[in-house]
Amino acid sequence: MSGEFDTLTQDAATAIVTAIATGLVEAVKARLATVTRRERQIDATRDALAAAKTGSELDAVKRAEVRAWAASLQDFLDDNPGAAQALRDLLGYLAAGGAPAEPAPRSQSQRGGDGAVFAGRDIIGDVATSGGSIRKHRFQIFLPFFFLGHAAKQMATHWVVTTVTVVVVAGGVSAGIALTHKKPDAPAPTASASATTTARALPALSAAGWSQLHGDAARTGYQADETLIGAGNVSKLAQTGTYATNGNVTAPLIANGILYVATNRLYAFAAAGATGCSAAPATCTPLWTASTANFYGMTIAGGDIFVTDGEGVQAFDATGSENCTGTPKVCSPLWVTSTLFSPGLGSPAVANGVLYVPGTGDGAAPDVGGAYVAAFDASGKKGCSGTPTICVPMWTTIGVPASTGNPGSPAVAGGVLYIADGSLYAFDAAGSASCTGTPKTCAPLWTAAMPGGGPTTGAPAVADGMVYVATTYSGLYAFGAAGSANCSTGATGKTCAPLWNAPAPYSSEGTPAVANGVVYVTTTGGLAAFAAGAGSCPGTAAATTCTVAPLWTSATGGPTDSTSSPAVANGVVYVTGDGGIYGYDAAGSLHCSVSATAKTCSPLWSDVVGFTIGEAPALVNGTLYINVPGKEAAYAFSL
């Protein structure tokens, strides 16, 4: 369970220490007692803060206490996972009145001599020193509650102690430069207005996120925290923001109120339109950028954003504070990988402090990129050394003996790492079982073939004990995630067969989305929905696989030639395709009709923008974000 609640425990720890520092000791005791009794730790934190004699000493004590509280709360949730909601309620309480609002930030400055950064009043974090050394940091900025707009109305489910909101974009194609000598290139052009739309304001900041491709490390494509947009009001969505870049952008990511997208640069924008944005509908310019080369993918965790490109892996401070200079601001990596390591074309994933980077799978030595996946310490410590800091893999998976040009992204769930490349491979995510040698390499726990053949370009999606894999030609496959159902062990190891298959035409280049017992997959004809789970196919010992039919499909007039991945939130499934973006009733009830035994559904909402929209949409706190390659921008839609 450890790692599942990393963000929650870190944010709760920060809020608790801040509340104690402002004198709300008894209030914290009273509310925390409903979650877990920690009176002695509260008193110890109060005494430690009171003993601090200087501002710098107080900051150091705050950092230490936040770390101690995060570890304590993580241990508690490991033993009591059902208490997570109570801890979220505590955060809502502290935001709503347990902790007083801070005054608005009055200044923001950066001092070049020692790299110190100041923004507002309450900052907790380490500071990068001069001389170009790379050090880890965390800056938490407590925003005044009146900045949070309608998000404050959602305090019961969305607490409002949050970090500064930023949007980042990365990717594209540019000349390869050695990572350890990379120079910032010219900043992106100023954003320009796109289509004329009804003037609506961007939403307020949010604690919710979409920090990994398809939402999370399991790649489910499901936003469980959405409460503002649903089937009853999705038809009112309108464009509220444009984030222009210098090229075709990738799928957006959002963390701590920050939206990330990509070209041949990594960009950071104020997602809520608070900084660098014009009046509604907002057109935003970057808060900061960073250079990348031949962008492949990115993910966010622990306050950092990790980018893979043709040169390797780079880790940047997601807030744009550390290793950043100039106006416009340009950032350099906190750490990089050796230029010997070659990532594959998929996006990395992070789970339990480990960064999983897809390799090329081309039969070369695993530690230089031939692996399916390489595992790095996300904190940039283990396996890392030098100035600038360069990291090597802690371990790698075994690749294949012939070149396949692996295009897939890994998925991580339940302590298992999954990646699909024509076949499905399952590895121990801890890098322990079936692992040997120095450098360490890991063999699969089990493998599974797709009997119909055909490549896989999307990531597996893992939910409720099942793994779903879409293929380009032979449809959608469902496997047992534990590697026990429909499996047998032979001379070459354990192999598994699918539990069921939805054959062509239900083929896809995207990743399936899974939510509330339904699997959604894009097809050349639009969207199809299937019942999730193992199904009722006969036979396990004989490894029998049966075919299944969809619950419903999109009607004519929806997305066509969609190569994206769906996203599901609050009863609506979103999908992009040639011409626009569409939102359907996820339950397959509204705007649906039945002919014979086939059910087809029409969208509840669409925005037919007249150009190709690619990859996966993301939805956070009442705002839908999409990448629009044809316009070299990301768009935001809100009520």
Side-chain angles (χ1 to χ4, degrees):
M1 185 68 66
S2 180
E4 180 179 349
F5 299 111
D6 282 354
T7 300
L8 174 60
T9 54
Q10 179 67 33
D11 293 329
T14 303
I16 289 169
V17 171
T18 301
I20 294 172
T22 55
L24 296 172
V25 176
E26 296 306 317
V28 172
K29 281 185 178 180
R31 292 293 297 196
L32 197 57
T34 65
V35 184
T36 173
R37 303 196 70 83
R38 289 288 191 274
E39 291 90 343
R40 291 184 180 180
Q41 188 172 0
I42 294 170
D43 291 338
T45 297
R46 177 199 59 199
D47 295 344
L49 294 171
K53 295 181 174 60
T54 64
S56 59
E57 183 179 350
L58 178 61
D59 285 346
V61 172
K62 284 183 178 180
R63 291 195 299 272
E65 291 299 318
V66 167
R67 288 193 293 269
W69 274 100
S72 175
L73 294 172
Q74 182 68 65
D75 289 343
F76 173 73
L77 289 182
D78 283 348
D79 296 331
N80 304 276
Q85 185 56 51
L87 192 56
R88 295 186 183 98
D89 292 342
L90 171 65
L91 279 168
Y93 165 75
L94 294 177
E102 289 291 337
R106 296 181 179 176
S107 64
Q108 178 170 337
S109 63
Q110 179 164 344
R111 188 169 69 245
D114 61 4
V117 178
F118 304 89
R121 291 183 53 192
D122 291 52
I123 299 181
I124 302 174
D126 299 334
V127 178
T129 61
S130 59
S133 63
I134 300 174
R135 292 177 53 196
K136 205 86 169 129
H137 84 293
R138 294 289 181 272
F139 284 97
Q140 294 287 338
I141 301 175
F142 286 73
L143 295 177
F145 301 136
F146 54 77
F147 276 4
L148 299 172
H150 71 259
K153 299 177 182 178
Q154 303 299 320
M155 288 174 184
T157 55
H158 297 289
W159 50 272
V160 292
V161 178
T162 181
T163 53
V164 169
T165 299
V166 181
V167 178
V168 180
V169 185
V173 178
S174 64
I177 306 171
L179 284 176
T180 54
H181 299 93
K182 183 171 288 185
K183 302 291 184 182
D185 54 18
T190 300
S192 58
S194 182
T196 301
T197 60
T198 302
R200 300 187 184 185
L202 281 167
L205 307 186
S206 168
W210 189 272
S211 59
Q212 308 206 45
L213 186 65
H214 313 307
D216 52 27
R219 313 297 195 188
T220 61
Y222 177 46
Q223 175 57 278
D225 293 327
E226 178 56 31
T227 61
L228 300 179
I229 303 173
N233 62 3
V234 66
S235 62
K236 298 179 182 178
L237 282 182
Q239 186 184 338
T240 50
T242 301
Y243 309 94
T245 70
N246 69 343
N248 290 337
V249 298
T250 63
L253 302 181
I254 302 98
N256 295 318
I258 299 174
L259 171 68
Y260 301 86
V261 287
T263 68
N264 66 340
R265 296 194 66 80
L266 181 64
Y267 293 82
F269 296 89
T275 303
C277 300
S278 64
T283 300
C284 300
T285 56
L287 298 177
W288 60 271
T289 68
S291 178
T292 66
N294 304 316
F295 175 85
Y296 294 157
M298 60 185 174
T299 193
I300 310 160
D304 293 336
I305 179 166
F306 305 94
V307 175
T308 59
D309 61 19
E311 296 176 354
V313 183
Q314 306 166 74
F316 296 91
D317 170 26
T319 68
S321 298
E322 188 172 358
N323 281 12
C324 302
T325 59
T327 304
K329 185 185 291 186
V330 177
C331 297
S332 298
L334 302 171
W335 60 264
V336 300
T337 62
S338 166
T339 53
L340 293 177
F341 180 78
S342 299
L345 297 177
S347 283
V350 177
N352 300 321
V354 179
L355 174 68
Y356 301 94
V357 178
T360 59
D362 63 2
D367 61 334
V368 299
Y372 279 132
V373 180
F376 294 87
D377 177 10
S379 69
K381 296 177 181 177
K382 189 174 182 179
C384 304
S385 61
T387 304
T389 302
I390 298 178
C391 299
V392 297
M394 297 187 294
W395 54 269
T396 60
T397 66
I398 293 174
V400 291
S403 178
T404 60
N406 170 43
S409 301
V412 187
V416 181
L417 168 71
Y418 304 90
I419 191 164
D421 181 21
S423 295
L424 176 65
Y425 300 83
F427 299 88
D428 176 19
S432 178
S434 301
C435 300
T436 58
T438 304
K440 183 190 291 187
T441 57
C442 300
L445 301 174
W446 54 271
T447 63
M450 268 68 81
T456 51
T457 57
V462 190
D464 301 322
M466 297 291 294
V467 183
Y468 304 94
V469 182
T471 65
T472 304
Y473 305 129
S474 58
L476 174 69
Y477 291 88
F479 301 86
S484 55
N486 262 14
C487 300
S488 61
T489 301
T492 59
K494 181 184 287 188
T495 58
C496 301
L499 297 178
W500 54 262
N501 166 235
Y506 306 113
S507 301
S508 178
E509 295 182 18
T511 295
V514 190
N516 303 314
V518 181
V519 184
Y520 305 89
V521 64
T522 57
T523 72
T524 55
L527 179 69
F530 297 86
S536 57
C537 299
T540 54
T544 301
T545 303
C546 65
T547 59
V548 298
L551 299 173
W552 57 269
T553 61
S554 58
T556 302
T560 58
D561 295 327
S562 178
T563 59
S564 74
S565 303
V568 187
N570 199 25
V572 181
V573 54
Y574 301 89
V575 61
T576 63
D578 279 0
I581 181 165
Y582 304 80
Y584 292 83
D585 175 24
S589 298
L590 302 176
H591 289 198
C592 300
S593 61
V594 178
S595 175
T597 59
K599 179 187 285 187
T600 58
C601 300
S602 298
L604 304 176
W605 165 81
S606 65
D607 195 301
V608 183
V609 289
F611 41 78
T612 299
I613 300 177
E615 302 197 66
L619 198 145
V620 174
N621 194 45
T623 300
L624 178 68
Y625 299 94
I626 59 173
N627 64 311
V628 189
K631 294 293 184 179
E632 300 185 346
Y635 283 6
F637 295 84
S638 303
L639 296 175

